[in-house]
Amino acid sequence: MLMELTTTFHALKEWAVAVNALEDGKTIMLLRKGGIHERNGHFQVAQKQILLYPTCEHQQAFMLKAEYANSVYPVTSGWHPETVRIGSWAEITDILPVSDESIVNTLLPFHIWNEHFISDRLKWKPRQPLYILLLRTYQLPEQEIPYHAKYGGCKSWIDLDQPIHLQGAKPVLSDFAYTQLVETIRKIVGDKLYAPSF
């Protein structure tokens, strides 16, 4: 059940191209393996309700489908903007671990990455599954926040210095459209829902 949040400072860092796709309703899916906070060797999402924090440094056009690769511009290692655009928050509604490459390939129409990305992710730490996160995204009145060095580095979860107000957020997809997508994806993955304790 969605809690009525009014502010939050918890954020998930993700490629800017993926954040844009979530905000535009082109996908509800992120694929994750590394950078996830683990405690006692168990996979855990740090927060279920998070701001989406777009990053540019590690975006790689060759791992994206052509229609998304065109919007990625390479930046030098260590580059960061002076300010960061926060335009959305999301609730992670489902976490689905998948190790079967054929299942992951069947999910290709539902996300922005290409076969190269999937193969690369599955081969890295092969004993660990690929985690599919399904996100219900809400658009916020856009705002720019100052960049701080502690937001950098290869970590997925960060806490912003100042909370962001969530009032006025509008869901990107209707309840019906989002539920239909989730049901379709869950059928492809099968009965493998991973329910973390928050």
Side-chain angles (χ1 to χ4, degrees), residues 11-148:
L12 171 63
K13 290 171 62 178
E14 184 52 84
W15 289 5
V17 64
V19 172
N20 290 340
L22 288 165
E23 291 175 350
D24 292 341
K26 292 178 179 171
T27 188
I28 64 167
M29 183 184 295
L30 295 178
L31 305 178
R32 283 302 182 101
K33 207 172 202 184
I36 294 291
H37 176 66
E38 289 177 279
R39 201 173 289 157
N40 303 324
H42 297 297
F43 169 85
Q44 282 189 321
V45 164
Q47 302 292 335
K48 193 176 180 185
Q49 296 163 333
I50 36 83
L51 298 160
L52 294 174
Y53 180 106
T55 62
C56 295
E57 187 180 353
H58 298 294
Q59 293 189 122
Q60 294 173 304
F62 73 92
M63 288 193 168
L64 295 161
K65 293 175 186 170
E67 63 265 37
Y68 299 102
N70 296 333
S71 62
V72 169
Y73 302 98
V75 298
T76 55
S77 180
W79 177 89
H80 60 79
E82 289 185 15
T83 60
V84 178
R85 181 192 71 83
I86 302 293
S88 57
W89 76 279
E91 180 180 24
I92 300 170
T93 62
D94 296 78
I95 304 167
L96 308 166
V98 179
S99 300
D100 186 332
E101 190 164 359
S102 66
I103 291 175
V104 182
N105 285 331
T106 307
L107 295 169
L108 204 58
F110 298 97
H111 59 75
I112 69 171
W113 291 279
N114 60 23
E115 293 93 334
H116 180 86
F117 178 91
I118 292 166
S119 174
D120 181 75
R121 292 289 85 190
L122 285 170
K123 284 176 187 161
W124 187 66
K125 293 187 179 177
R127 292 184 184 176
Q128 290 186 15
L130 187 63
Y131 287 96
I132 294 160
L133 308 183
L134 303 185
L135 289 84
R136 181 83 196 268
T137 303
Y138 298 81
Q139 287 185 320
L140 290 169
E142 217 169 272
Q143 51 196 300
E144 299 278 333
I145 62 166
Y147 175 84
H148 293 291

Side-chain angles (χ1 to χ4, degrees), residues 118-197:
I118 292 166
S119 174
D120 181 75
R121 292 289 85 190
L122 285 170
K123 284 176 187 161
W124 187 66
K125 293 187 179 177
R127 292 184 184 176
Q128 290 186 15
L130 187 63
Y131 287 96
I132 294 160
L133 308 183
L134 303 185
L135 289 84
R136 181 83 196 268
T137 303
Y138 298 81
Q139 287 185 320
L140 290 169
E142 217 169 272
Q143 51 196 300
E144 299 278 333
I145 62 166
Y147 175 84
H148 293 291
K150 66 181 179 182
Y151 299 164
C154 293
K155 50 183 177 272
S156 295
W157 312 98
I158 58 172
D159 286 342
L160 305 181
D161 268 5
Q162 293 180 312
I164 301 288
H165 290 277
L166 305 181
Q167 289 93 336
K170 303 246 187 300
V172 170
L173 297 175
S174 68
D175 289 352
F176 178 78
Y178 186 78
T179 302
Q180 290 289 103
L181 274 170
V182 170
E183 286 178 1
T184 302
I185 291 163
R186 290 278 302 273
K187 277 179 190 163
I188 292 168
V189 173
D191 188 22
K192 292 190 172 98
L193 178 64
Y194 174 80
S197 53

